[in-house]
Amino acid sequence: MSIDAAQLESLTAQAQADIAGAESAHALTEVRARYLGKKGSVAQVLRTLGKLDPADRAALGQAANAAKQRIEAWVEERRATIEQGERGAALEVERLDITLPSAGVPLGHLHPLSLVTRDMVAFFSSMGFLYEEAPEVETEYNNFEALNIPADHPSRDEQDTFFVEDGNVLRTQTSNVQIRTMSQQQPPFRFIAPGRVYRRDSSPRHSPMFHQIEGFIVDETVTFGDLKGVLLAFGRHMMRGDIELRFRANHFPFTEPSAEMDYACLLCAKQGCPACSNSGWLEWGGCGMIHPRVLERCGIDSEVYQGFAFGMGIDRTAMLRYGVPHLRLLFEGDTRFLEQF
Ligand SMILES: [Zn+2]
């Protein structure tokens, strides 16, 4: 069997078409073997050369070698195209859209005590109160004497105190803010002071560290009626309802007259329930008109100025507001609890 130039040309054209039709590297390798392999079409042509006349042999041999080179070149060209396409397809599959929003990282949020404290400060800011702070390590004078609590006063026993070095104490109440502010500035005053206080008292209903908020006003015409009005508005804001307040006469060394403040239990409408120990009322804090002696110790003329002060537990307010049954829940840092706020 032999082949002529026209047949070689047709075979080359067929190879070119097959190469162009190969869609994958694997298919291309098969096409190449079919034409250029040891048993491929071109090899078969070359094997027939021996049977030809010497003149025809040289011409067809040259043509066959040229065809071999052209086919090889087309294969390489096609291989490059296929590889480029496959890389592109792989990139497309693995494509990452970095503009997509993330899967979502859980965000933290404010502790219920922070929420309540901020709400308190915001409420009093709206009434013109300024925010004030004082040290948690305080002199005995600022924590006790200046507040009209002399060394032998029984209320010192009620406020079991942590003593630290140099005769200082961990403040047992936020009232040291009153002393520091009133000693250093001239009235009128209108201040709010939330913060930590410390007492040696630990039980299910008490913690050795807890939070209080203190508020006070000193001016020339301040009455107990003003105090009741401010506290009623405050209570309604904090408890998110039209609450009823009750003032019970009491005694504190630093106020005169003094009162304990309760509000009507919202759960039972004063009928009595476990939350209010069947009394219908919930204790909320203490208040009163600032004792003239306290004003005088701060260098304020008590003949000209009067003031009122009040204080309540931030922890207790948070418990009442959110219906938290145990104080310890506020301090344990259990996220299952905290996530509910
Ligand atoms: Zn009740």
Side-chain angles (χ1 to χ4, degrees), residues 256-268:
E256 181 60 37
S258 307
E260 288 265 28
M261 173 183 29
D262 309 326
Y263 71 87
C265 180
L266 295 171
L267 295 175
C268 63

Side-chain angles (χ1 to χ4, degrees), residues 78-314:
R78 181 68 187 145
R79 190 181 303 284
T81 306
I82 288 173
E83 283 177 358
Q84 199 176 18
E86 285 178 348
R87 232 183 354 257
L91 283 174
E92 193 59 39
V93 168
E94 295 167 16
R95 183 190 182 88
L96 242 157
D97 185 351
I98 59 169
T99 66
L100 284 174
S102 74
V105 178
L107 281 177
H109 61 82
L110 292 172
H111 191 278
L113 290 179
S114 301
L115 290 172
V116 166
T117 305
R118 290 187 180 198
D119 193 21
M120 288 174 161
V121 172
F123 171 81
F124 282 110
S125 296
S126 76
M127 293 187 105
F129 283 72
L130 299 179
Y131 178 95
E132 192 54 82
E133 288 179 340
E136 290 171 25
V137 177
E138 185 55 280
T139 62
E140 275 197 72
Y141 179 82
N142 281 348
N143 193 78
F144 291 119
E145 269 90 0
L147 285 158
N148 199 28
I149 311 174
D152 56 356
H153 196 281
S155 84
R156 287 217 187 182
D157 297 333
E158 291 165 22
Q159 299 184 2
D160 269 345
T161 310
F162 287 107
F163 290 90
V164 294
E165 292 169 346
D166 305 325
N168 292 324
V169 299
L170 294 183
R171 67 176 179 182
T172 56
Q173 62 223 343
T174 43
S175 304
N176 62 332
V177 176
Q178 271 187 53
I179 303 306
R180 286 174 171 268
T181 311
M182 295 198 295
S183 303
Q184 291 162 10
Q185 301 180 35
Q186 290 303 311
F189 303 119
R190 193 178 291 208
F191 282 107
I192 196 75
R196 294 188 192 90
V197 298
Y198 303 84
R199 292 182 197 179
R200 284 170 49 208
D201 187 359
S202 191
S203 66
R205 298 187 64 175
H206 296 95
S207 153
M209 185 281 295
F210 55 101
H211 301 82
Q212 261 189 355
I213 188 162
E214 176 109 359
F216 59 97
I217 287 182
V218 175
D219 209 333
E220 293 181 25
T221 56
V222 181
T223 67
F224 202 93
D226 297 329
L227 169 61
K228 290 172 88 170
V230 166
L231 289 177
L232 185 61
F234 180 45
R236 285 176 174 165
H237 176 78
M238 291 314 296
M239 299 309 161
R240 300 162 166 164
D242 187 13
I243 63 163
E244 184 185 341
L245 281 188
R246 179 175 78 175
F247 292 83
R248 282 181 291 118
N250 202 320
H251 174 78
F252 303 120
F254 32 80
T255 44
E256 181 60 37
S258 307
E260 288 265 28
M261 173 183 29
D262 309 326
Y263 71 87
C265 180
L266 295 171
L267 295 175
C268 63
K270 290 195 280 183
Q271 296 306 301
C273 70
C276 57
S277 305
N278 289 315
S279 71
W281 295 89
L282 291 156
E283 283 183 30
W284 194 25
C287 60
M289 301 303 289
I290 298 175
H291 200 293
R293 212 173 290 160
V294 174
L295 292 175
E296 296 292 343
R297 289 208 175 138
C298 296
I300 295 168
D301 186 347
S302 62
E303 296 291 326
V304 179
Y305 291 102
Q306 318 88 49
F308 67 69
F310 59 87
M312 64 267 300
I314 296 174

